[in-house]
Amino acid sequence: MREDLPVIVTEAVGDAAGRWDLAGEIPLDLLRGLGGKGLLCPEIATQFGGLGLTGRECGELTAHVGSLCSSLRSVMTSQGMGAWTIWRLGDRTQREHYLRRLTAGELAAVAFSEPDAGSDLSAMSTRIREDGDTLVVDGVKTWITASVYADLLVVFGRYGDGGAAVIVPATSPGVRRDPAQSPMGCRAAGHATVTLDAVRVPRTNLLGAAGQSLAMLTTIALTCGRLSVAWGCVGILRACLAAAAAHARDRRQFGVPIARHQLVARHLAELYVAERTATLACERASDCWDAGSPDQFTGAVLAKLVASRAAAQGAATAVQVLASAGAQDGHVVARAYRDAKLMEIIEGSNEVSQLILADRVMGVGG
Amino acid sequence: MPESTSEQLTIAMIEQRLLDFLVERTKIEWEVGQDLFESGVLSSLFAMELVVFVEKAFDVSIEREDLALANFRTVRAMTDLVLRLGKAADA
Ligand SMILES: Cc1cc2nc3c(=O)[nH]c(=O)nc-3n(C[C@H](O)[C@H](O)[C@H](O)COP(=O)(O)OP(=O)(O)OC[C@H]3O[C@@H](n4cnc5c(N)ncnc54)[C@H](O)[C@@H]3O)c2cc1C
C-alpha cells in the first residue's frame, strides 16, 4: 500500500474527531475530498479511478481510519459496500459510470434495513417495479449510515418474485431523509431514515436481473460490509490500547504509575489480546477474500463477531483505565465505548452471526 | 483451434468436483439432480460459497443474471452453467 495513504487521512482528520462526535457531523467538503482521492472505497480498480488496493490493504487502511474516527470509518464502510455492490452486480456501463463518480467525490449509502426488517431481511417490503422504461421504488429504510451525506443510495428491495438493488439519486423527487436524532455512537456518520415514495429512476439504474435471490444479493454486499466493520473495530482497539498505555504510564496513584498496579497491568494485557485476536481474524478473512476462497463468507462473519466483541469489551476496559480522564463525550475512549457497542449490532448482530457460524459447524448432516 | 477448458472438462469431471465440494462442506452425499436448497437447511451464504467455488474451480466469471439461485440449485444446473460460461469465454 502507498505509504502516503494513511498520512493523508491522519492529516485530514487532525484533532477534529471529538468535535465531529459532539456536533454529529463531518464537514461534507472533507468527505468529498477524501472520496475524490479514492480513499473511501480504496479497493476499486485504478481503471475506474480507484486505488486498486487488495482486500488486506483496504482492511489495514480501514483500521487506520477506525482508529481516528469511527464515524468517518462508517462512511467509508458505506462507500465501500456501495461501490462493491455496483462492481459485483453492475454491467460494464454501470461500473464505468458509477464507480467513476464514487472515486471522484460523490458519496454512497446502502439501504437494507426497514422498520419491520432488521435481523430478518427476508421481511423486507420495499418494492421495485417496472413502469414502461422507468422503475418505481416504494419503501422505508431505517438507520441508513451516510445517507445524510450521500449522492447515491443503493437500495435493496423486492423485484418480481425475487430481489434486486437499484441506484437512487438521493435528490430524486419522492426521496425524504430524516436524520437520526442523537445516535448513541458513530454520531457523525450521517444516519437517517430514508423514505421512498413512488420514486422513479431509469431502468438502467437496476443492479442485477430478474429472478435473483434477495438473500444472495444482500450476502454479497454484507460480506464486504462485515470485513470493513471488523477492520474498523481493530482500529478502535488500537486507539484504545494506545490511550490506555499512555495513561497507565503517566498517571500516578499510590506513589507509582498506575501500570505498576497489577490489576491495571491486566487491563493492558487484555486490551493487547483483544487487538491481536481481532487483527488475526481480520487478516485471515481478508486473505480468503483476496484468494477468492469460499471461506470468505463465514470468514467475514467470524471476523466481524470476534472484532466487534473484542472492541466492545476493549473499549470498556480502556474507559476503566482512564477513569475520569476519559469520561467525557468526544474523548477517544468515550467515543470508542459508544461506537464499539453498536458494532455488535450492525451487519448481523452477535446473535445472527452466531446462528450463521452454528450453521457452518453443523453443515447439513451434523 | 484454441484448446478450451470446456472441451477438456467432461460433464462427469465437473459433476465430480462439485459433489466433492458438497460432501466436504455439508457432510452428506448429494445426487446430481437433488435440490440443494429445498430443505431450507442450506443458506444464501452457502449459495454464495458455491458461486465463488465455481468461479475459482472452473475459471469462469458469474455475473448479472447468471447470479441466480436457480443456477446453483442442483449439481446438474451448476454443470450446465460451467459449460455455457466456458463456451462463452472461448467464443
Ligand atoms: C449505527 C448503526 C448503523 C446502521 N447502518 C445501516 C445501514 O447503513 N444500512 C442498513 O440497511 N441498516 C443499517 N443499520 C441497521 C442495522 O442493520 C440493524 O439495526 C440490524 O440489522 C439489527 O436489526 P434491528 O435493530 O431491527 O434489531 P432486531 O432484528 O429487532 O433484533 C433485536 C435483538 O434480537 C436479536 N435477534 C433477532 N433475531 C434473532 C434470532 N433469530 N435469534 C437470536 N436473536 C435474534 C438480535 O440479535 C438483537 O439482539 C444500522 C444500525 C445502526 C445501529
Side-chain angles (χ1 to χ4, degrees):
Chain A
M1 180 170 46
R2 271 167 46 194
E3 279 172 18
D4 60 326
L5 298 179
V7 178
I8 295 172
V9 183
T10 305
E11 285 174 357
V13 175
D15 61 356
R19 292 197 298 280
W20 296 342
D21 181 60
L22 292 172
E25 196 178 347
I26 302 174
L28 187 58
D29 284 355
L30 185 138
L31 295 175
R32 291 205 186 289
L34 292 175
K37 294 190 174 77
L39 282 159
L40 297 180
C41 49
E43 258 186 278
I44 293 305
T46 48
Q47 72 177 109
F48 303 115
L51 297 169
L53 299 194
T54 64
R56 177 90 174 249
E57 291 168 334
C58 174
E60 278 297 339
L61 186 61
T62 305
H64 179 68
V65 176
S67 73
L68 301 171
C69 175
S70 284
S71 290
L72 179 58
R73 197 275 308 149
S74 297
V75 172
M76 185 180 180
T77 297
S78 294
Q79 184 91 349
M81 217 176 4
W84 170 250
T85 304
I86 291 167
W87 193 86
R88 194 68 177 86
L89 302 180
D91 61 26
R92 195 173 297 173
T93 319
Q94 289 169 324
R95 287 176 180 175
E96 178 64 34
H97 182 67
Y98 290 109
L99 296 180
R100 286 234 164 253
R101 287 169 63 175
L102 293 182
T103 53
E106 290 196 31
L107 300 167
V110 182
F112 317 97
S113 308
E114 300 180 0
D116 293 323
S119 299
D120 181 10
L121 286 178
S122 71
M124 209 183 271
S125 66
T126 293
R127 264 231 156 265
I128 303 164
R129 63 187 166 81
E130 289 165 23
D131 182 17
D133 55 4
T134 60
L135 297 170
V136 185
V137 191
D138 280 287
V140 178
K141 297 292 187 181
T142 50
W143 277 96
I144 308 309
T145 301
S147 62
V148 165
Y149 305 120
D151 303 285
L152 300 173
L153 307 169
V154 178
V155 178
F156 284 80
R158 306 200 160 280
Y159 175 64
D161 53 9
V166 65
I167 301 174
V168 177
T171 53
S172 308
V175 175
R176 204 179 74 221
R177 290 175 278 179
D178 296 304
Q181 294 305 309
S182 314
M184 171 185 149
C186 301
R187 285 180 171 167
H191 310 108
T193 297
V194 179
T195 307
L196 302 131
D197 182 11
V199 178
R200 303 182 84 87
V201 297
R203 250 186 112 98
T204 49
N205 288 27
L206 189 73
L207 293 170
Q212 289 186 321
S213 135
L214 187 56
M216 263 170 89
L217 300 184
T218 53
T219 298
I220 289 173
L222 283 171
T223 298
C224 170
R226 285 166 180 153
L227 287 170
S228 180
V229 167
W231 279 106
C233 289
V234 167
I236 290 177
L237 283 163
R238 290 179 184 169
C240 284
L241 189 57
H247 190 71
R249 204 178 295 123
D250 296 342
R251 174 71 174 164
R252 298 176 73 90
Q253 286 291 280
F254 301 96
V256 292
I258 58 169
R260 299 268 294 279
H261 300 303
Q262 286 188 334
L263 296 180
V264 175
R266 182 174 65 187
H267 286 319
L268 298 175
E270 293 290 2
L271 259 168
Y272 180 65
V273 170
E275 186 274 327
R276 287 285 82 209
T277 312
T279 299
L280 290 172
C282 286
E283 286 176 352
R284 159 95 187 135
S286 287
D287 288 348
C288 287
W289 166 276
D290 284 332
S293 153
D295 285 336
Q296 65 184 284
F297 301 99
T298 43
V301 173
L302 178 65
K304 193 268 175 190
L305 178 66
V306 166
S308 65
R309 283 205 298 208
Q313 272 175 21
T317 302
V319 173
Q320 197 66 25
V321 172
L322 274 91
S324 63
Q328 195 167 33
D329 265 356
H331 189 285
V332 62
V333 298
R335 281 188 282 123
Y337 183 70
R338 290 183 280 102
D339 298 340
K341 182 61 206 172
L342 297 185
M343 299 305 106
E344 294 192 301
I345 294 171
I346 65 167
E347 316 273 359
S349 63
N350 285 359
E351 291 78 9
V352 167
S353 302
Q354 285 165 330
L355 292 174
I356 293 172
L357 295 174
D359 267 359
R360 167 84 209 204
V361 172
M362 295 306 288
V364 167
Chain B
M1 217 177 111
E3 277 193 335
S4 80
T5 359
S6 52
E7 278 159 5
Q8 289 165 347
L9 279 173
T10 65
I11 293 178
M13 285 160 69
I14 299 172
E15 287 178 351
Q16 197 51 54
R17 282 197 77 170
L18 291 167
L19 290 168
D20 289 348
F21 179 71
L22 283 171
V23 79
E24 179 201 316
R25 268 293 279 109
T26 69
K27 305 181 178 78
I28 55 172
E29 300 277 350
W30 295 87
E31 304 287 333
V32 292
Q34 201 177 345
D35 188 330
L36 303 172
F37 298 99
E38 194 175 36
S39 66
V41 185
L42 290 178
S43 64
S44 52
L45 210 79
F46 185 65
M48 284 309 302
E49 290 184 27
L50 288 173
V51 171
V52 301
F53 175 75
V54 168
E55 283 190 321
K56 187 106 184 140
F58 305 106
D59 194 22
V60 293
S61 300
I62 301 167
E63 295 179 357
R64 301 285 296 167
E65 49 274 9
D66 290 330
L67 267 176
L69 193 57
N71 287 332
F72 297 87
R73 271 200 179 284
T74 62
V75 167
R76 201 166 279 144
M78 285 186 267
T79 306
D80 288 346
L81 180 71
V82 170
L83 291 172
R84 182 159 58 77
L85 292 175
K87 281 212 185 77
D90 295 334

